[in-house]
Amino acid sequence: MTRSGNLVAQSPVVVDNAAIAELLIREAKTAEGHREQAFRRAAHAAFMWSEEGTDIAAAGRSLTELAGIGHSLAKRLHNWIASPPEVEVPAIRREFLTLAQARRVLKKNPRWAPRLNGDLQMHTTWSDGGGTIADMAAAAIERGYKFIGITDHTQGLSIAGGLDETRLAEQGREIVALNKQLRQRGIDFTILRSAEMNLSPKGAGDMRPTALRKLDLVLGCFHSALRRKEDQTSRYLAALRNPGIQILGHPQTRVWNRREGLKADWSAVFAEAARLDKAVEIDGYVDRQDLRISLLKVARKEGVRISLGTDAHHPDQLGFMELSLAAAALAKIPAERIINFMSVDQLKSWAQSVRASSEPKVTRPARSSRARTLAKV
Ligand SMILES: [Zn+2]
C-alpha cells in the first residue's frame, strides 16, 4: 500500500485506520518511555476501532472518542488526515484488516454473516483464557451461534497452562454437563469438545490418540521454531498427515509487527490438505489474521476446506470473527468450503470421516477365542 500526499489533487487519498496504525507504530519506534507505550497501544487499538477516524473527524466529532487516543495523539491524527503522509507498510505488518474495513466488506457481502453457525477456536480458564466454558458459550449464544469448539492448549505448551490427558478428560465431563443443561433449557447450542494440540516442528502431536479420539474436533498448531527462514513445506505436510488432527490452526504463525510467519510451498500444502479433506484456519485474532488474504487465494485455488476461529481468550474477543469472515469474503472462498457454515451434525460427521480415513487401517483377522483371552491379559 502506497499513499502519496502529492496525489491528493487527482484521487483523494484517505488515511484509513490501517494507515493510522502504521503511522502510530512508526512514531512508537522513535519515541521513548510512556510516549512510546501510548503510540504502541494506540496502533494496536486502531485495528479494532469500529469507525474510520476520518469519518469521525469529518463529522466534527472528537478523535478522543477512539480507544487509545488522548488529546495530543488526536492532534497528530488530525494532521495526518489533513495532509496524508506517504505510508509504505513493511511485510511484517502487511495484509492485516481493521475492524472498520472488515465491516465494510461484510456489508457488501450481506449473505456471509447469517450463514455462520459457530466459532472453532477459543480458550478458557482451563488453559490461558479469561472466561469459563459457560462464559464463552453464553457469549456465543448471544451472537446467535449454534456451536463453539473449546480449544484449550495441550500439555506441550506448558507456558499457556496446556492440558494433559487427565485434565482434558475432566474438561470433557464439564462440557457434557453443560450441553445437558443447554438441552434441558431448550437451547439449540452445542459445545464441541476440541483442543489446540501443540505440534512439534516435525508435525507430531503431544497427546495420546485415545484422548484425541474422545474429542469432536482437533486443531493442530505450531508454537515453536517459528523464525526459521528456510522453506517449511515438509513440516506442514507432516502436520497435515498427522492422523490426530482435522484442522491446521493459525498456519503461517505470523504475528503483527513481531513475526512474518513461516515460508512454504503453499500450493502443495493446501493441495495435501484438500486431498486429506482437512481444513486450514483463518485465525481471526487481530494480531494474527492467519491465513492472510493472499494465501487464502492460493487456498481457494487448491479447493481446501476453511475453518474460522477467533482464538478468543476472553468472551469479548469473539468479535474477532468479523476479521476472519471478511478475509474469507475478500479471498472469495466458496461458502460450501467453510466448515463453520455447516450444521453441528454435518460438522461432526465431517470430522469423523476425516478421522476414519486418516487413521492407519488395521485389518483384523478373525481371532479365535483363545487369542481374545490372551489379548485381555
Ligand atoms: Zn496457538
Side-chain angles (χ1 to χ4, degrees), residues 38-356:
F39 279 123
R40 203 170 281 280
R41 255 199 314 275
H44 277 273
F47 281 95
M48 290 308 286
W49 292 340
S50 57
E51 291 176 77
E52 292 289 354
T54 47
D55 292 344
I56 293 179
R61 286 154 54 199
S62 170
L63 291 172
T64 56
E65 283 181 31
L66 298 167
I69 300 298
H71 289 287
S72 97
L73 282 186
K75 253 187 239 157
R76 192 72 64 110
L77 261 58
H78 273 296
N79 289 342
W80 289 332
I81 290 168
S83 53
E86 195 138 314
V87 182
E88 173 90 41
V89 182
I92 203 161
R93 296 192 292 272
R94 216 173 282 157
E95 290 192 71
F96 286 88
L97 293 172
T98 65
L99 180 62
Q101 241 173 322
R103 288 195 171 164
R104 275 198 301 279
V105 171
L106 294 175
K107 217 169 162 184
K108 275 193 212 146
N109 296 272
R111 282 183 306 203
W112 281 67
R115 299 191 66 163
L116 180 72
N117 287 328
D119 185 332
L120 292 172
Q121 194 194 161
M122 66 191 64
H123 301 265
T124 72
T125 47
W126 279 86
S127 65
D128 60 347
T132 62
I133 299 174
D135 294 336
M136 300 308 276
I141 291 166
E142 193 116 308
R143 298 178 73 85
Y145 292 169
K146 298 286 184 225
F147 57 79
I148 49 171
I150 297 295
T151 56
D152 280 301
H153 293 284
T154 56
Q155 53 196 336
L157 207 65
S158 48
I159 195 169
L163 307 179
D164 60 13
E165 285 85 353
T166 311
R167 298 257 302 145
L168 187 67
E170 265 174 57
Q171 184 189 54
R173 287 190 285 276
E174 181 178 322
I175 291 176
V176 168
L178 286 168
N179 278 332
K180 195 171 158 199
Q181 281 175 28
L182 288 164
R183 274 198 309 278
Q184 281 166 350
R185 288 161 59 200
I187 299 171
D188 174 19
F189 183 84
T190 306
I191 305 167
L192 295 166
R193 290 190 60 190
S194 188
E196 179 183 356
M197 182 166 69
N198 193 44
L199 295 174
S200 78
K202 288 196 157 54
D206 63 347
M207 299 293 271
R208 282 199 293 273
T210 46
L212 298 179
R213 251 177 254 133
K214 295 195 184 95
L215 305 180
D216 296 304
L217 268 177
V218 183
L219 246 88
C221 292
F222 292 118
H223 297 106
S224 55
L226 304 180
R227 290 175 190 274
R228 290 201 180 149
K229 293 271 174 272
E230 61 276 21
D231 181 280
Q232 299 290 305
T233 307
S234 59
R235 154 188 334 208
Y236 285 105
L237 298 181
L240 286 165
R241 289 169 189 157
N242 183 325
I245 74 159
Q246 295 85 47
I247 303 170
L248 183 66
H250 54 69
Q252 211 191 357
T253 70
R254 68 169 186 162
V255 174
W256 185 78
N257 201 32
R258 214 164 73 199
R259 261 197 329 255
E260 256 188 73
L262 298 170
K263 293 185 176 59
D265 174 350
W266 292 104
S267 289
V269 172
F270 299 141
E272 182 64 1
R275 189 184 69 80
L276 296 164
D277 199 27
K278 296 193 176 184
V280 293
E281 189 189 49
I282 308 177
D283 183 315
Y285 199 92
V286 62
D287 286 0
R288 288 192 178 269
Q289 304 197 34
D290 179 7
L291 292 164
R292 64 174 80 208
I293 293 155
S294 54
L295 290 184
L296 282 168
K297 290 180 181 169
V298 182
R300 179 192 66 214
K301 283 196 197 113
E302 297 300 337
V304 60
R305 289 192 194 267
I306 301 288
S307 174
L308 310 177
T310 55
D311 205 346
H313 284 66
H314 187 276
D316 292 346
Q317 294 180 341
L318 294 179
F320 292 153
M321 184 51 80
E322 288 174 88
L323 301 174
S324 283
L325 259 183
L330 283 171
K332 298 192 168 59
I333 303 292
E336 64 274 15
R337 298 226 190 104
I338 299 179
I339 63 173
N340 309 60
F341 290 0
M342 292 179 178
S343 69
V344 72
D345 291 335
Q346 287 168 330
L347 185 62
K348 281 183 178 177
S349 66
W350 163 73
Q352 269 164 21
S353 87
V354 172
R355 204 170 248 164

